[in-house]
Amino acid sequence: MKKLILAFAFLLVANLGMAQNKDAFKADVLKMIQLTGSAGQMKMAKDQILKMIPQEKHAAFLVEFESTLPALYDKMADVMMTEYTHDDVKAILKFYETPVGKKMTEKAGVLAEKNMTATQEWAMGLQGMMMKYMQ
């Protein structure tokens, strides 16, 4: 009986330790989402959507929009945790804390906007090419 209780206690302690490690891993992944500019992409999307909403409704929309982000970031973290190890994430965080990494984060929004323009121009040219082959 003592062995059974001891085995159960060991299992309980092991599970508790694994849960704490997973929580730390997820916290680091959520930090990575912020540092890598993924959160900045949401700001860009928000700004685009705001252009389509009447000015008098902006405040209410922003409250509701912002309330959806934690769940989104949580799902993104779950996906990233399937592709990266905790050591990978720690290394990525270490890079993003360097001057070059910080610069990448700072420039992410500007680059995304410029790349969107370039992509739109490319898509317009592609549309013409597609029409040529569809006829």
Side-chain angles (χ1 to χ4, degrees), residues 91-112:
I92 292 167
L93 288 173
K94 193 174 195 177
F95 167 74
Y96 274 96
E97 290 169 351
T98 67
V100 173
K102 289 176 183 178
K103 185 174 183 178
M104 282 184 72
T105 299
E106 289 171 16
K107 299 294 181 181
V110 172
L111 290 170

Side-chain angles (χ1 to χ4, degrees), residues 44 109-119:
M44 195 170 76
V110 172
L111 290 170
E113 197 170 313
K114 289 180 178 181
N115 284 332
M116 186 176 9
T117 301
T119 301

Side-chain angles (χ1 to χ4, degrees), residues 69-132:
L69 293 178
L72 172 63
Y73 295 149
D74 192 62
K75 288 179 182 178
M76 289 170 67
D78 289 340
V79 170
M80 289 180 180
M81 289 170 72
T82 66
E83 299 298 323
Y84 297 114
T85 67
H86 197 177
D87 287 338
D88 292 337
V89 172
K90 287 177 182 179
I92 292 167
L93 288 173
K94 193 174 195 177
F95 167 74
Y96 274 96
E97 290 169 351
T98 67
V100 173
K102 289 176 183 178
K103 185 174 183 178
M104 282 184 72
T105 299
E106 289 171 16
K107 299 294 181 181
V110 172
L111 290 170
E113 197 170 313
K114 289 180 178 181
N115 284 332
M116 186 176 9
T117 301
T119 301
Q120 288 171 346
E121 291 171 3
W122 172 80
M124 288 172 50
L126 181 63
Q127 193 173 23
M129 183 188 349
M130 288 170 43
M131 295 302 291
K132 180 174 100 176

Side-chain angles (χ1 to χ4, degrees), residues 15-74:
N15 280 338
L16 182 61
M18 287 173 50
Q20 288 174 340
N21 285 343
K22 188 174 181 184
D23 290 345
F25 183 16
K26 188 163 219 171
D28 283 345
V29 173
L30 289 168
K31 183 178 178 182
M32 183 178 77
I33 288 169
Q34 295 299 319
L35 289 177
T36 60
S38 295
Q41 292 174 354
M42 292 302 107
K43 183 192 177 315
M44 195 170 76
K46 176 180 65 178
D47 292 345
Q48 291 295 319
I49 296 167
L50 276 174
K51 292 176 185 176
M52 298 181 272
I53 295 175
Q55 182 73 33
E56 64 273 7
K57 296 181 180 179
H58 279 196
F61 168 78
L62 289 172
V63 168
E64 198 167 340
F65 181 88
E66 294 294 329
S67 73
T68 67
L69 293 178
L72 172 63
Y73 295 149
D74 192 62

